[in-house]
Each structure stands twice: as structure tokens, then as C-alpha cells.
């Protein structure tokens, strides 16, 4: 599933992916860094993460973000920062109490 080389091309060499699951949601507890590692990380969870999901673009903290929901329930928010080099930061908010507040953006 997915095109790993195409994903890697969108990422900056020094991209970092941070996840906030708060110890409650399944999320990486440490940052994942580097183009190859981040691409492989995203590809690894893609089959179970994105299936039957709805993505809604919203503004969060003054930046564009994506709310990711299944059956009307938000289970993640993704904030992406990019530069001329490509996507250089991914922030996955998956902590249920934070998402409860974010869900009002739908």
C-alpha cells in the first residue's frame, strides 16, 4: 500500500515526526527522524490507520491541519510544517482528551 519513493520525495532530509498519544493512544513515544525512517514509519501504520477515514482540513494553532475521523469520531489530528526542502515536521495529536476539544472543529 502506498508509494514509498513518492512519499520520501515529499519529505525533507531532516524531517521529524512527533506523536502525542499521552500513553493512552497507540502512538510512537519517541520522535522518528530522517526521511527514510519517517517514510517507513508512515507506511508501516498506513493499512490500519487510513482505511475508511475521513479527512477534514481545519486551522489549529494558526496553521492548517487535518482532522482524521472514522465513523464521525476524530482519532487523530495531523499538523504539517514544510519548507523549500519539503515536509520537515509532522505532529500527530492522538491523545483522546486533546482530541475531544479538537473535535469541535468539525
Amino acid at each position: 500500500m502506498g508509494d514509498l519513493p513518492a512519499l520520501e520525495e515529499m519529505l525533507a532530509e531532516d524531517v521529524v515526526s512527533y506523536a502525542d498519544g499521552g500513553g493512552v493512544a497507540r502512538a510512537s513515544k519517541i520522535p522518528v527522524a530522517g526521511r527514510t525512517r519517517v517514510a517507513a514509519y508512515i507506511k508501516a501504520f498506513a493499512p490500519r490507520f487510513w482505511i475508511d477515514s475521513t479527512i477534514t482540513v481545519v486551522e489549529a494553532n494558526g496553521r492548517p491541519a487535518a482532522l482524521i475521523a472514522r465513523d464521525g469520531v476524530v482519532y487523530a489530528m495531523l499538523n504539517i510544517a514544510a519548507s523549500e526542502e519539503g515536509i520537515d515536521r509532522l505532529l500527530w495529536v492522538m491523545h483522546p482528551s486533546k482530541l475531544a476539544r479538537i473535535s469541535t472543529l468539525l
Side-chain angles (χ1 to χ4, degrees):
M1 175 179 222
D3 184 344
L4 193 58
L7 176 58
E8 286 183 12
E9 282 184 33
M10 294 189 312
L11 302 174
E13 187 69 36
D14 59 351
V15 62
V16 180
S17 177
Y18 302 92
D20 177 4
V24 180
R26 282 183 70 179
S28 177
K29 294 179 181 175
I30 60 170
V32 179
R35 176 184 288 152
T36 304
R37 284 188 169 161
V38 170
Y41 168 70
I42 292 170
K43 184 174 172 140
F45 66 75
R48 66 185 174 279
F49 191 83
W50 299 105
I51 301 299
D52 298 325
S53 296
T54 303
I55 299 167
T56 304
V57 176
V58 297
E59 185 176 305
N61 297 322
R63 303 181 61 100
L67 290 182
I68 307 160
R70 189 175 292 118
D71 298 323
V73 178
V74 175
Y75 63 91
M77 181 182 79
L78 174 60
N79 187 295
I80 297 172
S83 65
E84 290 182 16
E85 288 77 36
I87 295 170
D88 47 28
R89 189 194 73 213
L90 300 161
L91 174 57
W92 305 85
V93 177
M94 300 172 71
H95 192 288
S97 67
K98 291 180 182 178
L99 291 175
R101 285 180 256 148
I102 291 168
S103 294
T104 62
L105 298 173
L106 279 179

